[in-house]
Amino acid sequence: MSATKIASEVYKIDSPIRDVYKILSDFNRIGKLVEMAKQMGMPQNAQLEKISEKIEDVSFVEDACHITVKGLGDVVVNIVEREEPKLIKLGGGGVLPFEFNIWIQLLENAPYDTRMKITFQGELNMVMKMFLKGKLDKGINQMAEGLTKIPYSLLANMNI
């Protein structure tokens, strides 16, 4: 096993750092956001449909997200560390064949200009590293880009 580290580009979020942190540091809020998106008819694309076909169930509590994946079992993502308002560290568990951490780092550049970077670090064997590295590179940047589109200030004011 060897450590694999992948970092996203630095992305700009047009919301105050406190609002971004408030939403991302609590899986209950993320769960409510997911439910709102479903109710509003979240736009589907082929890639998103392919992923959602493999997910049997998702549940959220403040510090964890449980995802039941067809043919794999229960995957758990836990919030293992918080440093308000600049860091949320996630860890993986459940049936995954490797351990990983994801850091969501936030930096206030100006009042409505928060910069975000996501870093993945996992213990992968050589075969998994060769198979997953490209997908993880793409996925980390897609995740970061998706997080920039959330209306954090609006949601924070709605007490989500």
Side-chain angles (χ1 to χ4, degrees), residues 18-37 59-65 79 82 84 88 150 152 155-160:
R18 298 248 179 238
D19 292 348
V20 176
Y21 182 85
K22 179 179 179 179
I23 301 298
L24 295 182
S25 65
D26 183 342
F27 276 121
N28 280 326
R29 287 189 175 100
I30 293 171
K32 289 177 186 174
L33 181 61
V34 169
E35 283 305 311
M36 283 175 57
S59 62
F60 301 91
V61 293
E62 182 180 357
D63 290 333
C65 173
I79 296 176
R82 291 178 180 92
E84 188 173 350
I88 304 153
I150 296 171
Y152 294 98
L155 295 170
N157 290 331
M158 291 173 60
N159 262 335
I160 287 203

Side-chain angles (χ1 to χ4, degrees), residues 2-4 24 29 32 36 58 61 66 68-69 73 87 90 95 104 106 108 119 122 125-126 144 153 157 160:
S2 67
T4 301
L24 295 182
R29 287 189 175 100
K32 289 177 186 174
M36 283 175 57
V58 179
V61 293
H66 297 265
T68 305
V69 181
L87 174 72
L90 308 173
V95 296
I104 301 173
L106 304 171
E108 184 174 51
T119 304
N125 65 36
M126 289 305 283
S153 297
N157 290 331
I160 287 203

Side-chain angles (χ1 to χ4, degrees), residues 24-79:
L24 295 182
S25 65
D26 183 342
F27 276 121
N28 280 326
R29 287 189 175 100
I30 293 171
K32 289 177 186 174
L33 181 61
V34 169
E35 283 305 311
M36 283 175 57
K38 284 181 187 176
Q39 290 174 0
M40 294 171 60
M42 186 170 63
Q44 294 289 323
N45 63 36
Q47 190 176 18
L48 201 54
E49 282 184 36
K50 200 173 173 181
I51 292 169
S52 65
E53 287 173 4
K54 296 178 183 178
I55 297 174
E56 292 179 344
D57 187 42
V58 179
S59 62
F60 301 91
V61 293
E62 182 180 357
D63 290 333
C65 173
H66 297 265
I67 305 165
T68 305
V69 181
K70 287 181 188 171
L72 185 61
D74 195 30
V75 176
V76 181
V77 178
N78 297 301
I79 296 176

Side-chain angles (χ1 to χ4, degrees), residues 116-133:
M116 177 186 62
K117 180 178 178 180
I118 299 177
T119 304
F120 168 92
Q121 184 171 331
E123 289 293 324
L124 305 176
N125 65 36
M126 289 305 283
V127 174
M128 287 168 66
K129 188 172 185 174
M130 288 176 15
F131 179 72
L132 292 176
K133 184 159 181 352

